[in-house]
Amino acid sequence: MTVRAGIVVTGTEVLTGRVQDRNGPWLADQLLELGIELAHITLCGDRPQDIEAQLRFLAADGVDLIITSGGLGPTADDMTVAVVAAFCGRDLILDPELEDTIAGILRKLNAARGHNLDFEAVMAANRKQALIPAGAAVLPPVGTAPGVVVTGAPTVVVLPGPPRELQPMWRAAVQTPEVQQAIAGRTHYQQGTVRMFGLPESALAETLRDAESEVAGFDRLEITTCLRRGELEIVTRYEPDAAPVYAELLDLLQRRHAAEVFSTDGALIDEQVAGLLAGRTIATAESCTAGLLAARLADQPGCSAYLLGSVVAYANSAKAQLLQVDPKLIDEHGAVSEPVADAMARGALSRFGADTAVAITGIAGPGGGTEDKPVGTVCFSVQTADGRGRTVTRLMPGERADIRERSTTIALHLLRQLLIP
């Protein structure tokens, strides 16, 4: 690849870890899809000298494109545009048309919020957002802050910090003549994503080693693998004329691991389950996951058509009162047991009048484990009102957060297996 890029994420709150960086990884994915090689992602605080140092570092490394995020607000520590202007040798000028646009946005915001503020004072505080480097292309605001594209060697794209503003603005930036010119020499790629569940990384590694000799042209595929939420994600990039090579690899993966491959088009298990729930209703009964499964179900658009509700029942008394779990069952088998998980699922079916239910009960740790039921022991039950169901126990590694999150993934896969035609 001949086009290289670097990302500068600004913000002391991001640098110190108080706020997680979501922009760097998201932009990295966008560049990957465009066929642009990402050389660096750097983090720095809201200090002019530190922002400038990152810009100079990337320029010295020979990148063609620099993308910055953050520092476009009206406050004193929002100084990215001024630093970029100085770095590119441009004067800062007031753009009257942009100033009018920002004023219109602020008037609407003040009216919507019922504020009775001195508008001239508000506008004075926000006027710095209408200062742009001379000759820069303006990216219209998504919030109140515009972005800019400054051409040169390298071209610099300045974007806001909030992801809800940055993401649509980046899509607009890519369409500008200035960015198109900067990335004109990129290699065009196609990309395929395969997702697997229940396969050890070592087994996938062995299959890929075999593919090196079994798939003609294998070296034309750029493959990355990632273990995420207990699933294996295999992302493959290739030039369009190598599509038959990728098709051969895909065939090999499906033949070797037919039971573990659940997605060949990039679809997430969450999306697949949402599709399978069309025309059905579901309820969850959760102990150790405390509503995390219901939250994943609710993240899908249109979930209100099938998600009836959830019972979070940590205490045994809650399991008995809200889910009609027989206390004798808990006394005999323990709260973390397949009989109790099964009873919780059936209780959820009854409580909500659903035709599908999932129950999770387990020991997420760090305490509470025993020799017979160590930390990481989780019992699952998926049931339908017509009598179909499955109840299983899994032992998972990791810390509390890992166990709870992975439990939701296992529950979704059990649901998929129950509901697929």
Side-chain angles (χ1 to χ4, degrees), residues 62-300:
V63 302
D64 305 283
L65 182 71
I66 296 176
I67 307 165
T68 72
S69 77
L72 304 191
T75 59
D77 61 347
D78 293 313
M79 55 192 70
T80 303
V81 172
V83 174
V84 167
F87 169 75
C88 296
R90 310 285 185 96
D91 292 330
L92 271 181
I93 60 171
L94 182 67
D95 185 321
E97 184 177 346
L98 184 56
E99 186 177 21
D100 288 343
T101 297
I102 294 171
I105 293 170
L106 291 172
R107 285 192 180 94
K108 290 180 180 178
L109 286 175
N110 286 339
R113 295 169 181 172
H115 292 166
N116 186 22
L117 302 174
D118 181 348
F119 186 76
E120 287 305 318
V122 172
M123 194 58 221
N126 285 268
R127 186 163 285 118
K128 67 177 290 189
Q129 293 180 303
L131 294 170
I132 65 169
V138 176
L139 301 172
V142 177
T144 61
V148 296
V149 181
V150 187
T151 57
T155 291
V156 183
V157 179
V158 182
L159 302 175
R164 67 181 182 279
E165 298 179 22
L166 176 142
Q167 293 177 11
M169 193 176 287
W170 165 251
R171 297 186 183 101
V174 171
Q175 303 305 316
T176 63
E178 292 79 6
V179 173
Q180 285 295 311
Q181 181 180 353
I183 65 176
R186 73 190 188 278
T187 301
H188 291 272
Y189 284 93
Q190 293 181 358
Q191 180 171 296
T193 301
V194 176
R195 302 185 192 279
M196 298 182 176
F197 178 74
L199 185 74
E201 287 182 278
S202 57
L204 175 61
E206 182 180 354
T207 297
L208 293 177
R209 283 194 298 271
D210 292 343
E212 292 182 30
S213 57
E214 295 181 24
V215 176
F218 180 82
D219 58 352
R220 301 189 61 194
L221 305 178
E222 181 183 320
I223 301 172
T224 58
T225 64
C226 176
L227 181 63
R228 184 178 304 172
R229 281 180 163 177
E231 298 171 344
L232 281 172
E233 178 184 86
I234 305 99
V235 178
T236 306
R237 288 200 311 163
Y238 52 92
E239 294 182 38
D241 62 352
V245 182
Y246 177 67
E248 192 173 345
L249 172 65
L250 184 57
D251 180 67
L252 176 63
L253 291 172
Q254 290 179 299
R255 283 188 287 108
R256 288 271 188 101
H257 308 295
E260 291 82 19
V261 172
F262 70 90
S263 173
T264 59
D265 60 1
L268 299 169
I269 184 64
D270 308 60
E271 298 165 342
Q272 293 183 342
V273 167
L276 291 168
L277 285 170
R280 305 187 67 97
T281 57
I282 189 170
T284 71
E286 303 181 57
S287 184
C288 67
T289 49
L292 292 178
L293 175 60
R296 285 184 68 170
L297 292 170
D299 279 342
Q300 298 303 305

Side-chain angles (χ1 to χ4, degrees), residues 298-351:
D299 279 342
Q300 298 303 305
C303 68
S304 58
Y306 52 81
L307 179 58
L308 298 184
S310 176
V311 171
V312 175
Y314 263 64
N316 292 341
S317 57
K319 293 179 177 69
Q321 294 170 14
L322 300 177
L323 295 169
Q324 293 84 50
V325 177
D326 188 340
K328 294 179 180 178
L329 203 64
I330 297 175
D331 292 340
E332 183 179 354
H333 299 281
V336 178
S337 64
E338 292 187 9
V340 169
D342 180 84
M344 289 172 63
R346 296 182 187 282
L349 285 173
S350 174
R351 165 68 64 175

Side-chain angles (χ1 to χ4, degrees), residues 46-60:
D46 297 307
R47 293 176 290 271
Q49 63 272 25
D50 293 340
I51 299 172
E52 182 182 2
Q54 306 310 309
L55 297 172
R56 295 197 179 282
F57 162 71
L58 292 174

Side-chain angles (χ1 to χ4, degrees), residues 9-38:
V9 179
T10 70
T12 302
E13 70 282 0
V14 180
L15 181 66
T16 58
R18 296 198 307 273
V19 173
Q20 183 181 4
D21 172 32
R22 294 167 53 195
N23 292 333
W26 187 86
L27 287 167
D29 281 343
Q30 303 306 301
L31 293 170
L32 187 69
E33 291 182 7
L34 287 169
I36 299 170
E37 179 184 358
L38 176 60

